Amino acid sequence: MSMIAWAIVGSEIAFWIVILMGLIARYIFKQEKLGFLLLALTPVIDCILLVATSIDLHRGATATTAHSLAAVYIAVSLVFGKSMIQWADERFRYFVTKQGSKPAKRYGIEFAKHYFKGWIKHVLAFLIGAGLLFGLITFIDDPSRTEALSDVLKIWTVVVGIDFIITSTYFIWPKKAKSEL
């Protein structure tokens, strides 16, 4: 596995460790400021990954799918990071500390609207990721070394389209609670 692939794995592990440490500091040790500081470190992890990817490519590496996934990871983390932390926070508070209310499940039009908001975030992540990929392609300026970046960009474009189709189906056939089935 390449250095960048390991950097992505390390970034993902670090992301969840920092979140878990932030939640433990906040709820178990009642250290609100420390918990906030730890949770605020998640974008730093993305920056480290971006720098590692750029250095590797600048040194002459041929872009691989791992380099592309670094851009995807950074974009998704930037756009979905806050909601992922909020999701983890709600569940940690309820299931670990036994505080707060049980995380709500969505059904019907409420689920469809929530999923649509997720699709809008997906589009934003795509735009950021596509910008990063395009920036790397332009920076390297060698199509033979950036083919993997272009390929991932094409695949991601199709995935955004498929996600839109799936999102649309929830408005046509709303998700029902198990008791309604």
Side-chain angles (χ1 to χ4, degrees):
M1 196 155 59
S2 73
M3 176 191 83
I4 295 305
W6 281 112
I8 293 169
V9 170
S11 295
E12 184 67 14
I13 292 168
F15 177 83
W16 287 107
I17 287 173
V18 167
I19 289 175
L20 184 60
M21 288 172 45
L23 295 173
I24 289 170
R26 178 184 281 180
Y27 293 112
I28 304 296
F29 297 115
K30 308 292 186 208
Q31 298 291 318
E32 286 285 325
K33 288 181 182 178
L34 177 61
F36 176 79
L37 176 68
L38 288 166
L39 294 172
L41 284 176
T42 55
V44 174
I45 296 165
D46 297 334
C47 291
I48 292 168
L49 181 59
L50 182 61
V51 168
T53 302
S54 299
I55 289 170
D56 192 44
L57 291 172
H58 184 69
R59 288 183 178 163
T62 298
T64 64
T65 302
H67 291 92
S68 300
L69 291 178
V72 172
Y73 173 82
I74 289 165
V76 168
S77 182
L78 287 173
V79 174
F80 287 94
K82 183 179 177 183
S83 58
M84 288 167 48
I85 291 169
Q86 185 178 18
W87 177 89
D89 186 72
E90 288 174 357
R91 278 141 188 85
F92 190 91
R93 190 175 345 116
Y94 179 76
F95 292 110
V96 177
T97 67
K98 307 297 183 199
Q99 299 171 4
S101 57
K102 185 174 183 178
K105 293 191 179 204
R106 294 177 175 88
Y107 301 100
I109 196 72
E110 181 187 356
F111 179 83
K113 287 178 181 178
H114 179 75
Y115 205 92
F116 181 73
K117 288 176 188 174
W119 179 78
I120 295 294
K121 286 182 177 183
H122 186 181
V123 170
L124 181 57
F126 170 78
L127 293 173
I128 293 169
L132 290 171
L133 289 169
F134 184 74
L136 288 171
I137 291 167
T138 303
F139 176 70
I140 295 169
D141 195 27
D142 182 354
S144 66
R145 290 182 47 219
T146 60
E147 186 178 350
L149 303 177
S150 300
D151 290 346
V152 167
L153 192 52
K154 291 173 190 170
I155 291 168
W156 199 1
T157 302
V158 171
V159 169
V160 170
I162 292 169
D163 193 20
F164 176 73
I165 293 168
I166 292 168
T167 300
S168 300
T169 66
Y170 289 123
F171 287 97
I172 299 166
W173 300 286
K175 181 179 176 185
K176 296 179 181 178
K178 289 182 182 179
S179 62
E180 294 178 31
L181 296 178

